[in-house]
Amino acid sequence: MAAFIIKRLLHSVIVMLAVGFVAFLMFNYVGDPINNMVGQETTVVQREQLREQLGLNDPFYLQFLRFAGNAAQGDFGLSYQHRRPVEDIIMERLPATLELSIMSALFALGVGVPMGVYTALNRNSVLSKVFMFVSLVGVSLPTFLIGILLIFLFAVQLQWLPSFGRPGVVDLGWWHTSLLTWDGWKAIIMPAITLGLFQMTLIMRLVRAEMLGVLRTDYIKFARARGLKNRAVHFGHALKNTMVPVITVTGLQLGTIIAFAIITETVFQWPGIGLLFIGAVRDADIPVMSAYLVMIAFFFVVINLIVDLLYFAVDPRLRVERPGASGGH
Amino acid sequence: MRMKTLLLGTVFAVGATAMAAPADAQNQFRWARQGDALTLDPMSQNEGPTNTLSAQIYEPLIERANDLGLQAGLAVSWEPVEDTIWEFQLREGVTFHDGAAFDADDAVFSVNRAMAETSDFRNYLSSVEEVEKVDDFTIRIHTAGPNPILPQQMTFIYMMDQDWAVANNVEEPQDYAGGEETFAVRNANGTGPFIVELREPEVRTVLVKNENYWDAANVPLEIDEMVLSPIASDPTRVAALLSGELEFVLDPPVQDLQRLAADPSIKVETVDENRVIFFGMNMGAEDLDDDSVEGANPFADIQVREALYRAIDIDAIQRVVMRGQATPAGVVVPTFVHGYDADLDVRLPFDPDGARELLAEAGYPDGFQATLYCPNDRYVNDEAICQAAVGMWAQIGVEVDLVARTRSIHFQDLQNRVINFYMLGWGVPTFDSEYIFNFLYHTDDGDRGSWNGTGFSDARMDELTQAMLTEVDLAARDSLIAEAWGVAQENLVYLPLHYQVINWAMGADVNVPIRSDNTPLFKYVSFE
């Protein structure tokens, strides 16, 4: 078990180094940050001085090694645009993104699972057809369009919900949350739905397919033969057995939600790390971009590690010690 | 709506006794634009959005009025006492937000701070040799040579409190390599009409009215609380204005203007911007590496430049691409910049037949191929303008490949002189033609001509440019400028396109006086 974890952690480090390396390769093509940093009157000599000062004239592998060395010590440098330490800015922005991601994951689960169960149990009802249609829309419409449609309907026409921002933030010292105020809840509804709609349809279809499969198995037939009520059969036996793949997929999708929050955050001006990243790309703010990419890689690596460990716990076959193959993968 | 809120607030306050927050009865002014200020330090970033926020908090010695003329700010008067010395009489009785009095020490300190190595404004003060305190309310600025436009340049130099800066260890603007964030990045202590109450970068910035503002008697100063929220997404910014969550949007997207103007609760104000858009061509090189002509540079031939100019149907671009939101230009100088002359602002007519003849005369009867580089995220509809122009040049046989890229790469390549045919826009912060000649027309010698990617080099132009920097006799200086414009127009150095237009969208019950420098001064805002 310990060897397994250590091996996975080593893999993770390699993955993150690779991500950082590729990121730095790409930075050669995002353009010159200097022009975004100084006024147009700045002379060529002054620009060159600044470029030298920031180490932008070094070959990229040298820039990368310097970055990796500093990052290993938790120092991501100073943002070119904001002139503040990157780790401070990211920590300031992270709660907003995490709250949004968790809310949209909860939305996806809370709505997707019941809808999936319903459509599996009542395959031919009108409501099922409606749900299936909605899920088709959720899969096919791009995120930004869903966001704008929601804004148009609920902010401009009905004026029920705010169209942008994250008001009502309460600072808890170690964390700042917008979930303790009414204003904050109102503001998170539309972004959470926008971000979670795709996952919701995914979960709904997954639950539906799994349920349909499980309902055909023998033990469901036996349960019915025992005279159990529909309720007990559907929720006590069938649904329980569909949950394993659903939890796995949801876990893996959480990383995707965090990473894909970029678009939703831009549409709703949600002050998270995705919005920060977009701004950084626009201004070629290399320290922020590299820190963001490494952090997202870190999220994926950690979530994958947890999922691997869960498999290890859930699937007994992985735990059997085989000679010469200790450690699974 | 404003009055209704106010009345409702009052009724509510009376009805619910002490329950209603007093904020309900105040004039709140919520506004948005695409990006936030980068810092509150008024000297570390010379960037439009940053300067706009600074201008509400800090003040310069000389201010620009809403018509962009000079008016007394923290200096009551200024005059040259010798050729190389400007004397400023400072305003008495002005206090900073923390209560400290403004005097000559602060002014001297601020000018010196703006000249520091880490200041992004030091280029405005490159002529300054020394700043001298004469008495408590008089300072003198000594320049290396005569500098007639120093007052124009001083409009960007904001006054800070020396004691505050010393106490908070921000005597110099922040250095890029300087590790930690400095105090002045998120805190401010100016003399301006608004005081920073809350600063959450990229989220919101709350300013409240300065009750002790020195000029309160002469400006409306009706805003009690001002909230700036940057909103990057165009449709969201418009939606927030339409839904009444904002009173003012500084940069409404061009495609939504009609819809906004049609809404009775919204009004849109329009004025020509201090920015002219044009194409530049490398006429200096012997041969170009990205055209189809071997052994010669077609752009070096003025007939070719004129042909390209005449092939542009500017009215079509103005009508279709810009949706009317542009004013065609015949010269690379905005209309309110000193030295602008309506006689210069005449375009060569759109004349594709004449253009083809010119090409034939120049030896390219079948045209040639070239590559045009454009930004796609810098100017209004920049890429679309280039696409339109490419189509128009195809009509006269010049096949142009278009490469549209992000501004970071575009300007880098222009600075490195690796592109031969490009789009550029130019704003003139000093409102004087010298600024244009200095950067766009003077020979690129490493010091001047830093944005002259055309290779244009003319001894007389260089002479005139340098002379107008130091000529103090205004009439003589004006004739230098006029002569320089003559040289520029005669040589067709650039192909002018148009002046960009500024649109500000606001609630129908709010008046924000529009300004061509795109820098609203919110002390002038009034409510109906």
Side-chain angles (χ1 to χ4, degrees):
Chain A
M1 182 77 184
F4 172 79
I5 294 177
I6 289 170
K7 209 166 170 187
R8 297 300 295 172
L9 282 175
L10 279 177
H11 286 176
S12 312
V13 171
I14 294 169
V15 165
M16 286 173 61
L17 276 176
V19 168
F21 190 77
V22 172
F24 262 78
L25 256 178
M26 292 193 310
F27 293 159
N28 279 348
Y29 301 100
V30 294
D32 185 14
I34 303 294
N35 196 65
N36 297 322
M37 294 162 76
V38 297
Q40 64 186 14
E41 300 86 359
T42 313
T43 63
V44 177
V45 180
Q46 288 167 350
R47 284 164 196 267
E48 199 45 47
Q49 277 171 356
L50 187 56
R51 200 170 281 125
E52 194 63 46
Q53 201 185 346
L54 295 170
L56 290 170
N57 287 334
D58 299 336
F60 91 89
Y61 62 86
L62 213 65
Q63 296 187 39
F64 172 66
L65 285 180
R66 195 167 45 226
F67 166 75
N70 289 336
Q73 301 161 35
D75 175 12
F76 286 94
L78 205 67
S79 155
Y80 293 165
Q81 284 297 313
H82 304 283
R83 309 241 183 139
R84 300 176 52 214
V86 173
E87 55 272 21
D88 288 5
I89 306 178
I90 286 190
M91 289 322 286
E92 216 171 79
R93 297 298 196 90
L94 198 55
T97 297
L98 289 184
E99 280 188 357
L100 177 61
S101 304
I102 289 166
M103 288 307 291
S104 58
L106 289 179
F107 159 76
L109 275 178
V111 178
V113 172
M115 272 167 78
V117 172
Y118 182 85
T119 48
L121 295 180
N122 311 285
R123 265 194 292 172
N124 296 318
S125 82
V126 178
L127 197 56
S128 286
K129 299 247 158 65
V130 171
F131 284 168
M132 292 305 283
F133 178 74
V134 167
S135 81
L136 206 63
V137 171
V139 173
S140 43
L141 277 189
T143 312
F144 71 91
L145 194 60
I146 296 172
I148 290 169
L149 287 176
L150 286 177
I151 289 178
F152 179 73
L153 187 62
F154 291 104
V156 177
Q157 295 298 320
L158 298 171
Q159 306 209 350
W160 290 350
L161 299 171
S163 55
F164 72 96
R166 183 177 181 242
V169 175
V170 178
D171 194 349
L172 303 175
W174 54 278
W175 187 265
H176 56 88
T177 176
S178 66
L179 297 180
L180 294 177
T181 56
W182 177 232
D183 278 348
W185 276 97
K186 279 207 304 203
I188 205 171
I189 293 174
M190 288 200 293
I193 290 177
T194 307
L195 183 56
L197 200 62
F198 179 81
Q199 322 295 335
M200 185 204 87
T201 52
L202 190 74
I203 288 171
M204 176 193 143
R205 285 174 173 259
L206 185 69
V207 169
R208 178 173 177 275
E210 290 287 327
M211 277 289 273
L212 287 176
V214 170
L215 284 174
R216 277 195 292 270
T217 55
D218 288 343
Y219 68 85
I220 296 293
K221 287 181 189 144
F222 281 118
R224 288 198 198 284
R226 272 165 61 200
L228 291 180
K229 287 203 172 99
N230 264 348
R231 210 182 124 86
V233 174
H234 293 155
F235 296 98
H237 294 273
L239 181 60
K240 222 173 180 178
N241 283 296
T242 63
M243 279 290 100
V244 179
V246 171
I247 289 168
T248 316
V249 168
T250 313
L252 286 174
Q253 288 290 321
L254 191 61
T256 319
I257 290 182
I258 294 173
F260 278 74
I262 292 179
I263 297 164
T264 308
E265 288 183 3
T266 310
V267 171
F268 290 97
Q269 193 63 27
W270 190 260
I273 48 173
L275 197 60
L276 180 73
F277 179 69
I278 285 289
V281 172
R282 202 179 49 224
D283 294 317
D285 195 339
I286 292 173
V288 173
M289 282 193 284
S290 41
Y292 175 84
L293 290 173
V294 168
M295 191 182 63
I296 291 294
F298 177 75
F299 278 145
F300 270 94
V301 157
V302 167
I303 289 169
N304 275 314
L305 182 66
I306 291 171
V307 169
D308 273 354
L309 291 176
L310 279 178
Y311 274 147
F312 207 81
V314 168
D315 193 338
R317 283 169 296 186
L318 281 174
R319 265 175 289 169
V320 178
E321 291 287 333
R322 276 170 295 170
S326 64
H329 296 243
Chain B
M1 194 193 104
R2 177 71 25 205
M3 271 314 285
K4 225 177 357 183
T5 323
L6 200 130
L7 279 176
L8 269 178
T10 318
V11 169
F12 190 64
V14 171
T17 56
M19 282 304 287
D24 285 352
Q26 292 188 332
N27 281 330
Q28 203 190 26
F29 183 81
R30 298 160 299 177
W31 64 292
R33 62 182 178 195
Q34 200 161 10
D36 200 4
L38 297 169
T39 170
L40 292 184
D41 190 322
M43 289 161 196
S44 91
Q45 294 270 13
N46 182 11
E47 183 241 14
T50 305
N51 293 345
T52 302
L53 187 60
S54 293
Q56 320 304 327
I57 304 163
Y58 289 100
E59 293 178 302
L61 291 182
I62 303 171
E63 195 177 270
R64 286 208 180 273
N66 285 333
D67 66 2
L68 303 184
L70 299 183
Q71 72 180 20
L74 293 182
V76 287
S77 66
W78 53 94
E79 57 173 357
V81 286
E82 279 173 38
D83 269 1
T84 59
I85 301 176
W86 279 91
E87 187 174 273
F88 295 81
Q89 291 296 329
L90 306 184
R91 194 175 292 280
E92 298 186 31
V94 174
T95 55
F96 287 94
H97 295 160
D98 68 355
F102 166 74
D103 61 21
D105 288 326
D106 298 316
V108 171
F109 166 78
S110 300
V111 177
N112 279 323
R113 190 178 190 270
M115 287 160 60
E117 183 87 339
T118 53
S119 162
D120 210 10
F121 288 82
R122 60 179 163 149
N123 291 294
Y124 287 130
L125 300 175
S126 54
S127 68
V128 176
E129 289 210 314
E130 195 205 339
V131 192
E132 175 202 357
K133 172 184 172 181
V134 179
D135 60 48
D136 275 354
F137 290 97
T138 310
I139 65 165
R140 282 183 174 183
I141 296 182
H142 299 252
T143 52
N147 181 4
I149 56 169
L150 187 72
Q152 313 272 352
Q153 293 165 331
M154 288 301 288
T155 58
F156 295 94
I157 310 304
Y158 292 110
M159 294 295 121
M160 301 176 75
D161 183 18
Q162 183 175 18
D163 295 334
W164 180 83
V166 171
N168 294 300
N169 200 20
V170 287
E171 290 135 285
E172 288 202 350
Q174 187 180 19
D175 190 348
Y176 283 101
E180 293 300 303
E181 170 182 348
T182 65
F183 188 77
V185 172
R186 270 200 274 189
N187 297 277
N189 181 35
T191 58
F194 296 97
I195 301 173
V196 179
E197 187 174 79
L198 178 78
R199 168 76 177 157
E200 289 178 42
E202 305 281 310
V203 181
R204 73 201 170 116
T205 303
V206 181
L207 305 185
V208 294
K209 177 158 80 176
N210 176 3
E211 298 290 349
N212 299 317
Y213 185 57
W214 59 269
D215 203 19
N218 300 315
V219 294
L221 202 60
E222 291 182 12
I223 297 172
D224 294 301
E225 187 191 55
M226 174 161 87
V227 184
L228 163 63
S229 312
I231 301 180
S233 150
D234 282 347
T236 312
R237 216 158 54 242
V238 171
L241 183 67
L242 287 172
S243 66
E245 290 166 82
L246 296 173
E247 274 77 37
F248 178 67
V249 171
L250 185 68
D251 44 9
V254 175
Q255 63 270 23
D256 289 322
L257 288 173
Q258 273 189 323
R259 151 135 213 223
L260 286 171
D263 191 306
S265 66
I266 308 284
K267 68 182 173 195
V268 177
E269 301 274 350
T270 301
V271 73
D272 274 2
E273 188 183 356
N274 178 3
R275 186 175 299 281
V276 56
I277 310 292
F278 50 89
F279 292 121
M281 292 147 294
N282 183 354
M283 63 183 80
E286 289 288 316
D287 190 13
L288 304 177
D289 51 13
D290 56 358
D291 65 352
S292 63
V293 181
E294 293 305 324
N297 174 359
F299 296 141
D301 189 332
I302 190 165
Q303 286 176 307
V304 172
R305 300 202 294 274
E306 187 178 334
L308 293 174
Y309 192 153
R310 287 182 181 273
I312 296 173
D313 182 357
I314 197 68
D315 292 330
I317 291 179
Q318 195 255 2
R319 205 175 55 243
V320 181
V321 180
M322 302 301 288
R323 302 185 196 218
Q325 299 299 317
T327 308
V331 61
V332 182
V333 51
T335 51
F336 31 75
V337 166
H338 186 75
Y340 171 85
D341 184 344
D343 293 340
L344 290 170
D345 192 2
V346 178
R347 287 186 65 84
L348 295 179
F350 169 53
D351 174 16
D353 294 331
R356 274 185 287 265
E357 277 167 33
L358 281 164
L359 276 182
E361 277 172 42
Y364 305 100
D366 302 321
F368 58 92
Q369 284 180 4
T371 311
L372 173 70
Y373 293 85
C374 288
N376 59 15
D377 55 1
R378 178 62 188 89
Y379 310 115
V380 178
N381 294 341
D382 36 18
E383 187 177 354
I385 297 168
C386 292
Q387 276 167 348
V390 165
M392 292 164 185
W393 288 322
Q395 298 290 316
I396 62 162
V398 178
E399 268 182 63
V400 178
D401 294 325
L402 173 60
V403 182
R405 299 169 302 174
T406 180
R407 58 187 172 155
S408 313
I409 297 173
H410 181 72
F411 292 125
Q412 178 182 26
D413 281 357
L414 178 53
Q415 290 269 303
N416 292 338
R417 305 286 187 262
V418 294
I419 54 182
N420 297 314
F421 191 13
Y422 57 89
M423 174 187 250
L424 183 63
W426 199 248
V428 187
T430 58
F431 293 87
D432 187 272
S433 290
E434 183 272 334
Y435 188 90
I436 303 170
F437 293 117
N438 191 336
F439 290 99
L440 298 178
Y441 286 97
H442 192 283
T443 303
D444 175 16
D445 62 1
D447 188 19
R448 296 194 177 85
S450 58
W451 286 89
N452 178 3
T454 65
F456 174 70
S457 176
D458 182 281
R460 182 62 187 153
M461 174 63 85
D462 295 356
E463 208 177 303
L464 289 165
T465 304
Q466 287 167 37
M468 67 182 80
L469 191 64
T470 53
E471 178 59 64
V472 281
D473 178 55
L474 290 182
R477 189 168 182 275
D478 284 352
S479 70
L480 293 175
I481 292 175
E483 190 187 340
W485 277 121
V487 175
Q489 292 293 83
E490 201 175 289
N491 286 287
L492 285 184
V493 182
Y494 294 100
L495 308 184
L497 288 170
H498 53 236
Y499 306 112
Q500 265 182 204
V501 166
I502 298 176
N503 294 286
W504 291 355
M506 60 196 88
D509 50 1
V510 186
N511 293 315
V512 186
I514 195 160
R515 293 163 61 101
S516 283
D517 60 358
N518 212 9
T519 305
L521 285 184
F522 293 119
K523 63 181 178 182
Y524 293 114
V525 169
S526 59
F527 296 98
E528 275 163 18

